[in-house]
Every structure is written in C-alpha cells, then in structure tokens.
Amino acid sequence: MPFSSDQGMAAYAAPSLFQPHRARQAIRDAHEKKIPPLSCNVETMTAMVHEAAFMSGGRTIPFVRVPGHDHAAIGFALDAGASIVVPQVETVGQAKHVLSAAKFGTRQNGTRSAPPFRLIPGITDMAYDSTRDLHKCLNDQAAVMIQFESLEGINNLDAILTEVPDIDIVWLGGLDCRISMNLPGNFASGDEPEWLAARDKFMATIKKHNKPYGGFAFGTPPIGSPEALVKAAESMSFMVVSSDVMHLLGAASDLQVDRGAVGSVGKQQNGDDVDK
C-alpha cells in the first residue's frame, strides 16, 4: 500500500488493530526518504491517545506529558482527548500560563483555542452535562497535572496553589529536584537535612491545600518494595508503578542469570564442573 500523507501511519496499519503495524516497511520507507522520519509528532501523539481510549473501551485515561509550557503543545494534547502533565513549573506566572493555555473562556484567563473542526457536530461535540455549555464542560473534564522539579518550585508552591486553584494534581519530581539542589540523584531518595526539609515542605503545602498528589511508586526492587508501594498509596492519588525502562532493566538481569545458567551447563558437559 503506498503511503498517503492524509493517512499518516494508518497507511501501514495491519488488517486488525490487534496486529502490529507494518513498521518494518515504514522504517525502510523513512530510510529511503519516501516518507518523513518516524517521530512522536502531534499526529502520532493523537493516534496513541485515541488508541488508548478506544482499545480500552474507555477504561484507560490517557495522560500526555507535554515537553514544556508551550501553548500549542498543551492545546494539541487536550484536543486529542488527553489529560496533561506539565514539567518544571517553578513560579506563579508559569502556572498561570499553563492553566491559561488549558482552559476556554475567562476561567483562569483561558486562552485555549476552540478549533471549529475539532469537534464534529453530533459525533464529538456532546457535552457530558446537557444543561451546560460544551466548552465549560470540557474545562471540567481533562486534568492538569503539574510537576515541581526544583527547590524554587517547592518554595513557591503555596503561592501557586493559592493563585492557581484549578491545578488538579501535583507531582514532586524528586530526581530533578535533588539534582537542582546539588545533591546526588540517588533515585529521588536521600536523608540529607536540606532534602528532608524540602520534601516535608512540599507535603505540608499540598496537605494545606488538600491537593491530590502523584508520582512514581515502584513495588519491586531495586528502587521499590511492596511495603513502600502500600505506604505510597496512603498519600498518593496517582501512581506510576512501572515503566518501559524498568522492564528493560529486568530483562538485563534475566539475561545475566540465563547466561550464567547456560554457561554452567556448558562447563558440566566439558567435565569442568563435576562433583568430586
């Protein structure tokens, strides 16, 4: 099937969505400059959001971590139907900008664009509450999660949550925060007095504002445990409990064990590891 720019990666789709795309052909076509390089652009991000929602029958909520505070990137993710995660918020001004980009109308000085052809009459323009305006409903649907990844952000957190109350949930980026404080990353943990003080200030502030809290919470070693996971669930409303990186790390460990086992068999067959 020839590539069509109107179809995007759908040109390489399999006969069933349960089968892989013809990715090998797509990569070869990109290599031969028949199509642009494969990347997670707006088109790909939108397709991923839609697939997560449609393939799960609505049981999965797509979240997109936008690359920064860019107004267009925030709008693209929301228009795709996702909730958003916004990194590296440090000041009241930055938080106000994020909410402005995410909201329609005067709420939080909303500047989100309302593209006329994004919402198709009778198909995607239905308000979840028929007694309210569509765009006001949309303001209340997608969640805005903001990541605090520096000591400056923690110090400004009280003012941010006071002046920008429509932030739905906050995330303490412990790794980035520790590095910004000239501390070892150490998987976002440590017992340095300045780190403990910063973390305690963050937790006290979100408790003061009754603001939901999210972040990583792993239940398996080397950076987690079942006990730690249960403890985290006591205070967290949004938990990332796994990642592709963690699975790859596990695969490396499995490979090391398997190589050792295969090597042991080889030694036995050669008489190098026979009981005496």
Side-chain angles (χ1 to χ4, degrees), residues 42-103:
V42 172
E43 171 195 87
T44 306
M45 178 273 295
T46 301
M48 292 170 68
V49 169
H50 289 174
E51 287 170 6
F54 279 78
M55 294 300 289
S56 71
R59 291 187 296 272
T60 298
I61 299 176
F63 275 82
V64 171
R65 185 180 188 271
V66 295
H69 304 170
D70 179 65
H71 186 283
I74 291 171
F76 285 141
L78 292 169
D79 285 346
S83 290
I84 58 172
V85 183
V86 184
Q88 297 179 322
V89 174
E90 295 185 317
T91 68
V92 170
Q94 289 173 347
K96 285 184 175 181
H97 167 78
V98 168
L99 264 292
S100 173
K103 300 296 182 182

Side-chain angles (χ1 to χ4, degrees), residues 15-57:
S16 167
L17 290 177
F18 290 99
Q19 299 176 6
H21 278 70
R22 294 184 300 114
R24 296 182 68 197
Q25 186 62 52
I27 292 170
R28 174 53 56 180
D29 285 354
H31 177 69
E32 295 176 357
K33 307 304 181 187
K34 295 178 181 178
I35 63 173
L38 305 185
S39 63
C40 192
N41 53 18
V42 172
E43 171 195 87
T44 306
M45 178 273 295
T46 301
M48 292 170 68
V49 169
H50 289 174
E51 287 170 6
F54 279 78
M55 294 300 289
S56 71

Side-chain angles (χ1 to χ4, degrees), residues 175-188:
L175 178 63
D176 285 283
C177 188
R178 285 179 58 83
I179 292 173
S180 78
M181 295 170 66
N182 297 313
L183 299 172
N186 198 30
F187 292 109

Side-chain angles (χ1 to χ4, degrees), residues 2 8-9 23 37 75 96 107 130 147 171 203 225 247:
M9 288 298 102
K96 285 184 175 181
R107 178 172 173 175
S130 60
Q147 294 181 305
W171 175 308
M203 298 304 296
S225 69
H247 287 287

Side-chain angles (χ1 to χ4, degrees), residues 16-273:
S16 167
L17 290 177
F18 290 99
Q19 299 176 6
H21 278 70
R22 294 184 300 114
R24 296 182 68 197
Q25 186 62 52
I27 292 170
R28 174 53 56 180
D29 285 354
H31 177 69
E32 295 176 357
K33 307 304 181 187
K34 295 178 181 178
I35 63 173
L38 305 185
S39 63
C40 192
N41 53 18
V42 172
E43 171 195 87
T44 306
M45 178 273 295
T46 301
M48 292 170 68
V49 169
H50 289 174
E51 287 170 6
F54 279 78
M55 294 300 289
S56 71
R59 291 187 296 272
T60 298
I61 299 176
F63 275 82
V64 171
R65 185 180 188 271
V66 295
H69 304 170
D70 179 65
H71 186 283
I74 291 171
F76 285 141
L78 292 169
D79 285 346
S83 290
I84 58 172
V85 183
V86 184
Q88 297 179 322
V89 174
E90 295 185 317
T91 68
V92 170
Q94 289 173 347
K96 285 184 175 181
H97 167 78
V98 168
L99 264 292
S100 173
K103 300 296 182 182
F104 296 110
T106 58
R107 178 172 173 175
Q108 294 292 345
N109 191 34
T111 56
R112 180 180 169 188
S113 173
F117 301 110
R118 169 64 183 87
L119 300 172
I120 303 170
I123 298 177
T124 62
D125 70 339
M126 297 84 73
Y128 78 90
D129 180 350
S130 60
T131 67
R132 301 177 63 211
D133 174 80
L134 169 63
H135 293 91
K136 290 179 181 177
C137 285
L138 290 174
N139 277 346
D140 288 337
Q141 287 175 242
V144 177
M145 184 186 308
I146 290 185
Q147 294 181 305
F148 293 87
E149 302 177 85
S150 70
L151 182 59
E152 180 181 2
I154 292 175
N155 288 335
N156 290 330
L157 180 58
D158 186 39
I160 290 171
L161 296 182
T162 299
E163 297 193 40
V164 196
D166 277 335
I167 292 172
D168 297 295
I169 182 170
V170 295
W171 175 308
L172 175 60
L175 178 63
D176 285 283
C177 188
R178 285 179 58 83
I179 292 173
S180 78
M181 295 170 66
N182 297 313
L183 299 172
N186 198 30
F187 292 109
S189 64
D191 58 2
E192 302 88 350
E194 59 268 45
W195 168 244
L196 296 178
R199 191 183 63 186
D200 289 348
K201 184 174 185 178
F202 176 89
M203 298 304 296
T205 304
I206 62 173
K207 184 177 181 179
K208 171 186 173 181
H209 290 268
N210 193 28
K211 189 64 62 175
Y213 167 48
F216 289 112
F218 297 115
T220 55
I223 60 175
S225 69
E227 297 77 17
L229 186 66
V230 171
K231 182 66 175 176
E234 295 176 0
S235 60
M236 300 179 79
S237 305
F238 181 100
M239 301 167 65
V240 176
V241 298
S242 188
S243 70
D244 50 1
V245 174
M246 297 302 297
H247 287 287
L248 289 171
L249 287 173
S253 176
D254 292 342
L255 181 60
Q256 185 176 13
V257 171
D258 293 342
R259 281 176 171 169
V262 172
S264 176
V265 171
K267 288 181 179 179
Q268 291 178 16
Q269 290 176 342
N270 293 328
D272 295 334
D273 193 27

